[in-house]
Amino acid sequence: MGTVLKGGYVVELEPALVERVDLRIEGERIVARGPDLTPGPDDEVVALSGKLVFPGLVSAHHRLYAVLGRGMPRPPLETYQEILEQVAWPYENALDLDAVQVAGCAGGLEALQCGTTTVCDLHSSPKAISGSLVRLARGLHEVGVRGVLAYAVSDRQGALGREEGLEETVSFAKKAKGRFRGQVGAAPSFTIGPDALSGLAEALKALGDGGLHLPLAEDPLDERLSNENYGASPVSRLLEAGLLSPKSQLAHVGHLDWADLAQVIATGAWLVHTPRANQGLEVGYAPALKFGARATLGADGVSADLFAEAQAAYLRSREAGQPIDVLRYLANGHRMASQIFDASVGPMREGSLADLLILDYLPATPLTAENLAWHVVFGLGSRHVEAVMVDGVWRMWARRPLSVNPTVVAEQAREAASAVWARMAEAAKK
């Protein structure tokens, strides 16, 4: 028994394509594509009446736990370092395993409703490390979103925290399967000493073909403290440790000189642009046009809306006088996910995993391959996401999630957020 999507406009991003064809899905994959497919006797037929069939979107750098921090009381702060020391790190320290799982579910539900079917999450909960990635995966599993999870290894909590983070990373990656994969993760380089760098290299070696996921040069503080503490720039240290490869994901990359950026690009690493998060922290504009052929997008700690991220990325690039190809950035998310899952993700073709969206988008102007980018930037949005399929299974239909109750998820998230905020306030008094 399969599912046949009839009468929709199938969209592909690079090369751009808008074509009125049918798709047949069986199991987890697209198995047929054609202008007028004949359904089998047991097939479910979905009449789309001109709606768009769009590839599920990918957030290549994500922070699911941040969903519990929205609207959190915070003092007025001016610098990136103050934000880390007085807000971000105390918040991470206040997370327990129950909050982590609730954040996975609430953040995953938000992603689903926005049409983001894959999140590459870099997690940190220094007081609750062991089991945190499993609990995060459980939350995502409830919703049905695809997840690539990594723990942000750091020396910030000393040797014990570092080793526990490395163990959590390797343990999860070895048992992740189905819609889940594990990566080796790291916190900003100025929080990583020589022993941590060696541990990350050993973890990558133990996992064989895994990649490193870390934030790089989000703020000039990264390079300044790295030089002060360790006598070398972040890029030099990462290269010397042999940590960068075509499977690496480096987020932000906003404050590197051209020589360092060129060395990073030469490793073949994925560079993840996060314009909305960078704006929120006032850390400046990353030169996305210079990121090379393997640049993509991530939402970081803001909403999982990759349509909004793509729009912000394009408009900011125009403002900077360096316009990017927004379709390529989105398509590169699929290429990266395909590399991680060792399966075709994104192309609406036979053999690809069936991660797709049904968009109820009725444009006021013609929609063609030639003007698809303009519709993505100026027309399409998460408000058009009507149905979502992940791994060949409908996870949202008629804008209603099928495996969780959004009201219950929201209630649980508010309760968890209140507990996290209370622990932060109590810690601040000590």
Side-chain angles (χ1 to χ4, degrees):
M1 179 178 177
T3 300
V4 179
L5 307 180
K6 292 192 70 68
Y9 286 94
V10 173
V11 173
E12 295 189 46
L13 298 174
E14 192 182 41
L17 179 71
V18 181
E19 185 178 20
R20 187 149 189 167
V21 290
D22 301 340
L23 296 178
R24 184 173 186 274
I25 295 115
E26 189 171 327
E28 62 186 16
R29 297 183 185 267
I30 298 169
V31 296
R33 170 184 174 134
D36 191 18
L37 296 180
T38 301
D42 297 323
D43 284 346
E44 171 195 33
V45 178
V46 180
L48 295 180
S49 303
K51 295 175 182 177
L52 301 188
V53 183
F54 205 94
L57 300 173
V58 177
S59 177
H61 174 68
H62 210 79
R63 300 280 195 173
L64 285 163
Y65 67 63
V67 73
L68 300 182
R70 288 186 192 154
M72 179 175 63
R74 52 179 280 182
L77 302 171
E78 294 185 2
T79 70
Y80 178 74
Q81 188 166 3
E82 287 178 338
I83 292 171
L84 290 180
E85 294 176 350
Q86 298 183 44
V87 178
W89 289 347
Y91 174 74
E92 292 177 358
N93 290 342
L95 295 168
D96 62 11
L97 291 179
D98 288 338
V100 169
Q101 182 166 334
V102 169
C105 186
L109 176 58
E110 176 183 78
L112 184 78
Q113 292 171 320
C114 291
T116 300
T117 54
T118 300
V119 294
C120 299
D121 194 77
L122 185 60
H123 177 69
S124 178
S125 51
K127 305 297 185 183
I129 298 174
S130 182
S132 59
L133 296 185
V134 171
R135 296 291 289 270
L136 201 60
R138 286 179 186 169
L140 284 175
H141 180 70
E142 290 183 59
V143 178
V145 170
R146 194 179 295 279
V148 183
L149 309 183
Y151 190 85
V153 173
S154 169
D155 279 316
R156 191 162 57 84
Q157 300 293 321
L160 184 61
R162 177 188 71 230
E163 295 305 313
E164 198 174 352
L166 288 166
E167 182 179 346
E168 178 66 12
T169 286
V170 174
S171 172
F172 178 80
K174 285 185 174 180
K175 60 192 171 191
K177 59 183 180 180
R179 294 193 310 277
F180 295 96
R181 294 292 184 273
Q183 289 180 311
V184 177
S189 64
F190 65 86
T191 70
I192 303 170
D195 290 340
L197 285 178
S198 297
L200 291 167
E202 287 298 318
L204 286 169
K205 184 178 179 181
L207 297 177
D209 60 354
L212 179 69
H213 182 178
L214 85 162
L216 177 65
E218 183 176 17
D219 184 89
L221 182 74
D222 194 9
E223 181 165 10
R224 178 170 66 81
L225 290 185
S226 184
N227 276 299
E228 288 179 6
N229 296 339
Y230 309 112
S233 72
V235 171
S236 297
R237 297 178 68 225
L238 292 169
L239 290 172
E240 185 178 350
L243 294 177
L244 301 186
S245 75
K247 293 190 176 180
S248 301
Q249 286 162 241
L250 308 178
H252 311 304
V253 199
H255 296 276
L256 295 181
D257 61 31
W258 173 243
D260 277 350
L261 180 58
Q263 288 187 86
V264 169
I265 292 171
T267 69
W270 297 102
L271 302 190
V272 187
H273 187 37
T274 59
R276 291 185 299 157
N278 295 156
Q279 281 183 296
L281 289 175
E282 300 181 65
V283 294
Y285 177 67
L289 185 63
K290 299 179 181 179
F291 281 4
R294 288 167 69 82
T296 185
L297 297 173
D300 195 27
V302 298
S303 75
D305 188 343
L306 262 291
F307 284 112
E309 200 69 48
Q311 290 155 6
Y314 178 76
L315 294 174
R316 289 216 73 194
S317 74
R318 289 275 298 183
E319 184 181 39
Q322 301 176 4
I324 64 170
D325 183 343
V326 72
L327 297 185
R328 170 170 291 181
Y329 274 63
L330 289 172
N332 275 347
H334 298 130
R335 295 183 178 111
M336 190 196 71
S338 299
Q339 175 182 284
I340 293 169
F341 285 91
D342 194 25
S344 176
V345 178
M348 298 287 97
R349 301 280 171 174
E350 293 92 339
S352 292
L353 294 175
D355 290 9
L356 54 86
L357 318 175
I358 306 301
L359 303 182
D360 187 13
Y361 179 62
L362 301 175
T365 60
L367 173 60
T368 65
E370 290 72 26
N371 68 15
L372 175 61
W374 293 102
H375 282 273
V376 168
V377 172
F378 296 110
L380 280 166
S382 57
R383 69 190 183 278
H384 298 113
V385 178
E386 184 176 83
V388 180
M389 175 180 282
V390 183
D391 234 16
V393 178
W394 292 114
R395 298 296 180 178
M396 188 167 81
W397 185 259
R399 297 186 170 86
R400 295 180 61 86
L402 299 181
S403 59
V404 295
N405 183 325
T407 301
V408 173
V409 172
E411 289 172 351
Q412 292 172 341
R414 287 193 292 268
E415 182 178 345
S418 296
V420 171
W421 298 3
R423 285 193 289 271
M424 286 182 67
E426 187 63 29
K429 295 176 183 177
K430 296 178 180 179

